[in-house]
Amino acid sequence: MSFKIAYEYDENSVFLRDSVVFPTVLYITDDGKEFNDIITANEHQKSLFPLQAVEVEYENDSENLKEGTDSEIKKEIIFMDAVDVPEIKTKEIFILPENCTWEAVPNPSNNAKWDAKKKKWVNGEEPEMIPPTPSQTELLEQDNADLLMQQAELDFKLEQAMQDNADILMLIAEVM
C-alpha cells in the first residue's frame, strides 16, 4: 500500500513532526460513480449490467425417457451474469491533515518554519558544530597503540632479516 509523509507545523509555523498518511480508496463503476466501499460498488456495477436470458439446448438421454425413444432434445432458458462486465476502477486520494504540508522539511531542521507565501520551509539559524576533542587519556591510548604498531613492524622486519641471513648461510654451506 502506498503512503505519503505529511509535515506538521504549529500555530507559529514551526515544524513539529512528520506523520505517515495512508490514502482513502475510492471505487469507480463503469458509469463514473464513486463509492467508498467495494460491496456497494459491486452491487451498483451489477445493476448496470443485468442478467441475460440465454436459451440452452441439450440432449436428454436419461433412463426416464418414454420407451422406444433414444433421446430427446430439451430447450431451457437460463439467466446468466453479463459476460463483458468491466472491472471496477480504484483511485487513491491522499487527504492532507490540518496544519500540514507535503513539502519536506530541510534536514537538519533547526527551528524550520513554514512560509505560506513562498510555499516552502525556511530554516532557522544553523547550529554551531564544534567537533568533540579527545581526552588526555584517549590521546595517550592512541600514542601507545601507535608505538605498539611500530614495534610490531620492527619485529617483523627483524624476523625477515634473520630468515634472509639463514638462507644465505644455507646457500654458502651448499656451495662449499
Side-chain angles (χ1 to χ4, degrees):
M1 176 171 249
S2 59
F3 63 89
K4 283 188 175 183
I5 305 292
Y7 301 92
E8 186 178 351
Y9 52 90
D10 63 6
E11 65 277 349
N12 297 326
S13 297
V14 175
F15 172 71
L16 291 178
R17 65 183 153 265
D18 51 8
S19 306
V20 176
V21 177
F22 292 101
T24 301
V25 179
L26 293 180
Y27 301 96
I28 305 169
T29 57
D30 197 49
D31 61 349
K33 290 188 178 177
E34 296 179 352
F35 296 91
N36 291 333
D37 66 302
I38 188 71
I39 296 170
T40 312
N42 276 330
E43 289 173 0
H44 182 75
Q45 186 83 335
K46 282 184 180 180
S47 70
L48 295 176
F49 299 92
L51 297 175
Q52 297 175 344
V54 177
E55 186 175 332
V56 178
E57 189 175 295
Y58 63 94
E59 186 176 357
N60 183 5
D61 57 357
S62 70
E63 296 175 3
N64 299 337
L65 294 173
K66 296 179 193 172
E67 271 188 50
T69 56
D70 293 334
S71 65
E72 66 179 348
I73 296 178
K74 283 193 159 191
K75 291 184 180 180
E76 287 184 8
I77 295 177
I78 60 170
F79 292 95
M80 294 177 41
D81 287 331
V83 179
D84 53 352
V85 177
E87 291 286 321
I88 294 176
K89 298 174 187 146
T90 59
K91 179 169 71 171
E92 291 182 343
I93 296 178
F94 289 93
I95 299 171
L96 185 65
E98 195 174 314
N99 290 338
C100 289
T101 177
W102 298 125
E103 186 74 27
V105 178
N107 194 8
S109 63
N110 183 31
N111 295 330
K113 287 190 163 196
W114 177 249
D115 188 344
K117 292 177 186 173
K118 294 180 182 176
K119 298 281 186 203
K120 68 181 230 176
W121 290 99
V122 180
N123 239 350
E125 293 179 19
E126 291 284 324
E128 189 175 321
M129 299 298 284
I130 301 171
T133 56
S135 68
Q136 199 65 24
T137 308
E138 291 171 334
L139 290 172
L140 286 173
E141 286 176 355
Q142 185 62 42
D143 286 345
N144 190 24
D146 291 343
L147 288 173
L148 288 173
M149 186 63 120
Q150 288 174 0
Q151 184 179 356
E153 288 174 3
L154 288 173
D155 288 345
F156 178 73
K157 288 180 182 178
L158 179 64
E159 286 290 324
Q160 269 188 330
M162 289 173 56
Q163 185 64 42
D164 290 345
N165 287 341
D167 290 343
I168 291 173
L169 286 174
M170 288 294 287
L171 280 172
I172 293 173
E174 286 178 13
V175 171
M176 296 193 128

